[in-house]
C-alpha cells in the first residue's frame, strides 16, 4: 500500500499537481492498480535476454533541419530566435 | 486524376477534432479517396492535438512518414480524428475534445483509443482511416464499430511523426470497411523509413487471397477464459468453425504468459509514457506556459490544468514504476514478462499458421460504464499480447451480439501481416458467423 503522502511525492517528481480533494480517490485507484501489478511477482527475475537485436547507428552528419521560424511559430513566448521558458532560479 | 475533394459529411458522432472543407489531391493509387488520420499523427499545417488540451493549437511543421506516403498516393486527408488523450484509453471518452459515440448505438462507446477513426469509417464518412495501436487501440474500436483494423508487425510501418506514447509497443495501422481497403492502405504506408530506427525494410506488397486450405489455426484457451462474455465467445467460436469449413485445420493451444501479460503491458506503457510526456511543458508548443515564476511551479500548474486525469495517472504510475527501489519489482519484471510473451507466441506459431480468438471480451460498453481505471485496463487483456510480442494482428467483423458488432482477432508470425490479412479476407468472403 502506498500512502497519500507518497502519491503527492510521486506527483511532484512527475511535475504534476494533485488537488487535495482529488488525492484520496487517486490513492485508492493507484493502490488497486499496484495490487494488480503484483502478479508480476510470479515472473522469474532472471529471464533470458534477447540476442537477436542489433543497434541501428548512423554517422553524426549535419543535415538540413526545419526552418527556425516554423519551430518558433508554435512557442508561446519568443525573443529573436529564442524560446522563453520559466525562470530557472 | 488530380482534382479537389469537398468534405461535407455530417459528423454525428464527434469523430473529428479537426476537419477540412476541401482539399486538392494529386494522382496515385488513392487519388481522390478521403482518408481520416488519427490526431496523434503529425500533419504539416494541420492542427495535431493527441486529443489533449496541452497541444491545442499546435501546428506541426512537418508530416509524419505515413502522411507523406498518403499524399504521394493522391489521398485526401480530410481531417484528424478523435482519440483518448495521447492514446490512453479503451473508449475515446478520455479525450480533451469530448467523447466519440458508436455509430451502431450512440449510447455506447466506439472503443479506443482510435475511436474517432473507427466511427468515421463505420458512419460512412470515409472509406478508410489511420489509427495507432499500442495495446489494442486499432483492433478494439474496429471490433466495437464493426470495421476491419490491422496492427502491423512492429517495425513494418514507420513511426516517424507519430507523437510517442509508448514507443516499444505502438504501431500505426490501417482501418477500413473491408479487408481489401485495409490491404490497399497497408500497401501505401508499409514502407521502410530510415528516420525511424525501428523501421524494418520489408515493404508490404500483397495480392489478396482467400485460400486458406491447408492452414492451421491455433485457438488458445486463454482467449476464451474468465471475463469473456459467453455470447461473444460463442460468436467467435462459430467464426473459427467457418474458417474450418473453408478448409483450415483448428488446433487448441496455450499462451501461459497471458496470466501476467496485461500487468507487463501497463507497467511498460506507463513507464514509457512518463518519459515521453515529460516534453509537454508548454514552452515549445501548445498553449503557452507562464515565464514569471520558477520552472517547477509553472510546469506543475500547466500540466495539471492541461492533462486529463488518466494521463496524469499513467505518468505517475510510470514515474513510480521506474523509481529507485521499485524498478526491479515493476519495470525490470515487466521486461522479462514481455519477453516470455514473445517466446510463447514464437513457440505456438511454430506449429500453427495463425492464432484466432475474440478481439475484445465484450461488446461496446455504454458511455460512462467503465469509470474505474482498473476495470477499463482489464478489457485490454486480449489485445495487449500482440503488442508485447510485436506480432501482427487484425480484427475483422464476425457477427453481432445484442445488435452490436463482434470482432474476430487473427494473430500471425512476425512479418506475416499478409497471412493475417488473407485469413481475414477468407472469413469476410464466408460472411458473418452469427447475427
Amino acid at each position: 500500500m502506498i500512502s497519500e503522502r507518497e502519491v503527492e511525492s510521486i506527483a511532484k517528481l512527475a511535475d504534476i499537481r494533485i488537488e487535495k480533494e482529488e488525492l484520496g480517490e487517486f490513492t485508492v485507484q493507484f493502490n488497486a492498480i499496484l495490487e494488480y501489478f503484483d502478479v508480476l511477482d510470479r515472473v522469474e527475475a532472471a529471464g533470458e535476454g534477447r540476442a537477436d537485436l542489433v543497434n541501428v547507428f548512423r554517422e553524426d552528419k549535419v543535415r538540413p533541419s526545419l526552418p527556425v521560424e516554423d519551430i518558433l511559430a508554435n512557442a508561446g513566448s519568443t525573443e529573436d530566435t529564442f524560446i522563453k521558458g520559466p525562470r530557472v532560479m | 486524376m488530380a482534382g479537389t475533394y469537398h468534405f461535407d459529411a455530417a459528423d454525428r458522432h464527434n469523430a473529428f477534432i479537426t476537419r477540412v472543407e476541401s482539399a486538392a489531391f494529386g494522382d496515385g493509387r488513392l487519388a481522390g479517396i478521403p482518408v481520416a488520420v488519427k490526431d496523434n499523427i503529425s500533419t504539416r499545417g494541420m492542427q495535431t492535438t493527441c486529443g489533449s488540451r496541452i497541444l491545442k493549437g499546435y501546428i506541426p511543421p512537418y508530416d509524419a512518414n505515413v502522411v507523406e506516403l498518403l499524399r504521394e498516393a493522391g489521398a485526401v486527408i480530410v481531417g484528424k480524428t478523435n482519440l483518448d488523450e495521447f492514446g490512453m484509453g479503451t473508449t475515446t471518452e478520455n479525450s480533451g475534445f469530448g467523447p466519440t459515440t458508436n455509430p451502431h448505438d450512440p449510447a455506447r462507446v466506439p472503443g479506443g483509443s482510435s475511436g474517432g477513426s473507427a466511427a468515421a469509417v463505420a458512419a460512412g464518412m470515409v472509406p478508410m482511416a489511420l489509427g495507432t495501436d499500442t495495446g489494442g487501440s486499432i483492433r478494439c474500436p474496429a471490433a466495437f464499430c464493426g470495421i476491419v483494423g490491422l496492427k502491423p508487425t512492429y517495425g513494418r510501418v514507420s513511426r516517424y511523426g507519430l507523437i510517442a506514447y509508448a514507443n516499444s509497443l505502438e504501431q500505426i495501422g490501417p482501418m477500413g470497411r473491408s479487408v481489401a481497403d485495409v490491404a490497399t492502405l497497408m500497401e501505401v504506408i508499409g514502407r521502410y523509413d530510415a528516420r525511424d530506427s525501428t523501421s524494418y525494410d520489408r515493404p508490404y506488397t500483397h495480392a489478396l487471397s482467400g485460400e486458406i486450405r491447408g492452414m492451421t489455426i491455433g485457438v488458445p484457451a486463454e482467449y476464451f477464459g474468465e471475463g469473456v462474455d459467453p455470447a461473444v465467445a460463442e460468436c467467435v467460436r462459430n467464426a473459427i468453425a467457418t474458417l474450418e469449413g473453408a478448409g483450415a485445420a483448428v488446433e487448441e493451444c496455450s499462451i501461459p504468459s497471458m496470466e501476467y501479460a496485461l500487468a507487463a503491458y501497463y507497467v511498460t506503457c506507463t513507464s514509457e509514457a512518463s518519459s515521453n510526456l515529460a516534453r509537454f511543458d508548454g514552452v515549445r508548443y501548445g498553449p503557452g506556459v507562464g515565464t514569471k515564476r520558477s520552472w517547477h511551479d509553472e510546469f506543475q500548474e500547466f500540466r495539471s490544468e492541461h492533462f486529463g486525469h488518466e494521463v496524469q495517472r499513467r505518468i505517475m504510475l510510470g514515474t513510480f514504476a521506474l523509481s529507485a527501489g521499485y524498478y526491479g519489482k515493476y519495470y525490470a519484471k515487466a521486461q522479462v514478462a514481455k519477453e516470455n510473451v514473445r517466446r510463447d507466441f514464437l513457440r505456438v506459431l511454430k506449429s500453427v499458421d495463425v492464432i484466432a480468438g475474440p478481439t475484445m471480451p465484450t461488446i461496446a460498453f455504454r458511455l460512462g460504464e467503465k469509470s474505474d481505471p482498473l476495470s477499463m485496463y482489464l478489457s485490454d487483456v486480449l489485445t495487449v499480447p500482440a503488442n508485447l510480442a510485436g506480432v501482427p494482428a487484425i480484427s475483422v467483423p464476425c457477427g453481432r451480439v445484442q445488435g452490436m458488432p463482434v470482432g474476430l482477432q487473427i494473430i500471425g508470425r512476425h512479418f506475416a501481416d499478409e497471412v493475417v490479412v488473407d485469413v481475414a479476407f477468407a472469413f469476410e468472403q464466408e460472411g458473418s458467423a452469427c447475427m
Side-chain angles (χ1 to χ4, degrees), chain A residues 15 17 29 42 74 87, chain B residues 59 259 292 295 304 313:
Chain A
D15 268 331
R17 195 188 58 212
Q29 291 171 339
R42 292 181 216 169
N74 277 297
R87 289 173 46 190
Chain B
I59 312 286
E259 178 192 12
K292 298 274 184 283
W295 196 265
S304 304
R313 183 160 32 245

Side-chain angles (χ1 to χ4, degrees), chain A residues 3-89:
Chain A
S3 64
E4 290 190 4
R5 244 183 101 174
E6 284 171 291
V7 171
E8 259 186 317
S9 126
I10 296 160
K12 209 173 162 188
L13 279 174
D15 268 331
I16 285 168
R17 195 188 58 212
I18 303 288
E19 301 299 336
K20 283 271 178 252
E21 57 270 25
E22 293 169 348
L23 192 58
E25 196 189 358
F26 236 96
T27 306
V28 170
Q29 291 171 339
F30 219 87
N31 276 305
I33 295 164
L34 291 181
E35 197 179 320
Y36 181 77
F37 286 173
D38 282 345
V39 69
L40 290 171
D41 290 344
R42 292 181 216 169
V43 178
E44 297 287 333
E48 289 178 69
R50 293 278 300 270
D52 57 333
L53 296 177
V54 287
N55 281 319
V56 178
F57 294 121
R58 63 170 168 80
E59 290 304 312
D60 186 19
K61 282 188 192 146
V62 176
R63 292 185 299 185
S65 189
L66 295 162
V68 173
E69 54 272 25
D70 286 8
I71 301 300
L72 292 174
N74 277 297
S77 189
T78 59
E79 195 175 307
D80 301 329
T81 54
F82 299 102
I83 295 173
K84 280 162 83 171
R87 289 173 46 190
V88 179
M89 299 281 286

Side-chain angles (χ1 to χ4, degrees), chain B residues 174 189 215-216 288 296 304 329-330 364 414:
Chain B
I189 64 170
M215 284 182 69
T216 306
H296 286 292
S304 304
K329 179 175 165 60
Y330 296 110
H414 291 103

